Amino acid sequence: MAFLFSVTLPLMTYVETIDYLFSRLPMFSRIGQAAYKKDLTNTIRLCEYLGNPHKKFKSIHIAGTNGKGSVSHMLATILHTAGYKTGLYTSPHLKDFRERIKVNELTSGFSECREEFVIGFTERIKPVIEEIQPSFFEITVAMAFDYFTVQNVDVAVIETGLGGRFDSTNIITPVLSVITNIGMDHMNILGDSIEKIAFEKAGIIKPGVPVVIGESKPETRSMFESTAFKNHSPIFFADEKRKAIGWHWHNHHLIVELEEINKIDHPIYELDLPGIYQTKNLITVLEACLQLRSCSFAVYDADIKKALKQVKKISGLHGRWEVVHQQPLVVLDVAHNEDGIKQLMEQVEVTNHDELHMIVGMVRDKEVENILRLFPKLANYYFTQAAIPRALDAVSLKEKAEINGLHGSVYPDVNIALQQALSKAKKDDLIIVCGSVFLVGEVNISF
């Protein structure tokens, strides 16, 4: 049923509403582990209060250490191109909270949820907020589900926030589950081994629901297979069906040639996401599309190829090898864990440049020392921090970096660091901002 609400006092403005949500509620992106709950009770309670909106639309659930944001945006863009009204829930946001909750218009692309909806929703659930004291993420998930129901979407692509088993999004029963890959991240919460992290991610596998695994690894395969077997869920390993056998750049797009099992032809795909790590995500997306067809979704090759050329334009995905300036080349990338930084450094190695300038900021709860070992010593470093309590202060970051032979100066915020790098760099140099989603989000150069 639809809930109506009335208030006698004036509604908060959008800015006041966001301040209320950010300041009053535990928020993982700001304070870290203290905001994480190994319990779905609050999300269930919120959605019951709202009439269980998550049960009123079809969904696709996506987890993984890296790549789940790219895969989510690719799949949403493909569904849009195929003619489906599609919801898209991702986290965290870069600039505006409403980036987390989007719905497409079939004649255009995805739009962020309206400010008026955020205000009205928050006012409507204030009684239950005061009663159960949910986290910021729990409220955001419930808000997304409610918005998708109000917008009457055909399907929603739902990205997990952290882990899977206890992630607030995990109250849905999707038509398809996707786990992109498993890497060492959030070990203080998910476990200190690949196997333990895989167990948490495997928590999104639901009874009878097919699951696509993006990358097969010996140390995680048995976990995924045993969980799928217990749930009678068909399981598909994407990288065993296809592999990239060639790629190049053309007009800032990534052109990928694939080899498919039991097929002679080598299909070519063009992506407007130029990071070479997108080849792995592409393989995951293609297998997901194949399984969606088995779930009666009319998603075919022509729509897929058309959509992949314009993921950024249609879905608004940013911060993935995002070129924001030429001569010198300035790139923003949200890589922030070991696997992400490894992939970023592979991209640096194949990108033509003279000197390398690295603007780096991290959060305290990452394996900072392990990540810093992956950075090249022959680079100019600018250590800084995002304006959140969870950020590792730039002085401490510099001290840890120097142990690994990385030398540079400290700057109070990312934009001062970027201006300094721009003043030093020559036209053929490369400047990269990385290490934290929140750091990238604070860069003032417009996307």
Side-chain angles (χ1 to χ4, degrees), residues 28 31-36 38 162-163 183-193 196-197 200 363-368 390:
F28 182 85
I31 65 175
Q33 185 174 358
Y36 181 72
K38 293 189 175 182
L162 177 63
M184 300 299 282
D185 197 11
H186 298 297
M187 286 93 81
N188 57 328
I189 295 173
L190 302 180
D192 59 1
S193 71
K196 290 178 181 177
I197 295 172
E200 295 297 331
V363 293
R364 294 191 309 268
D365 49 24
K366 298 293 180 184
E367 297 293 309
V368 175
R390 190 176 156 214

Side-chain angles (χ1 to χ4, degrees), residues 248-255 270-272 274 309 326:
H248 66 275
W249 287 303
H250 179 68
N251 291 335
H252 305 294
H253 280 206
L254 182 68
I255 313 299
E270 179 180 345
L271 287 71
D272 68 341
K309 294 178 182 179
Q326 300 281 354

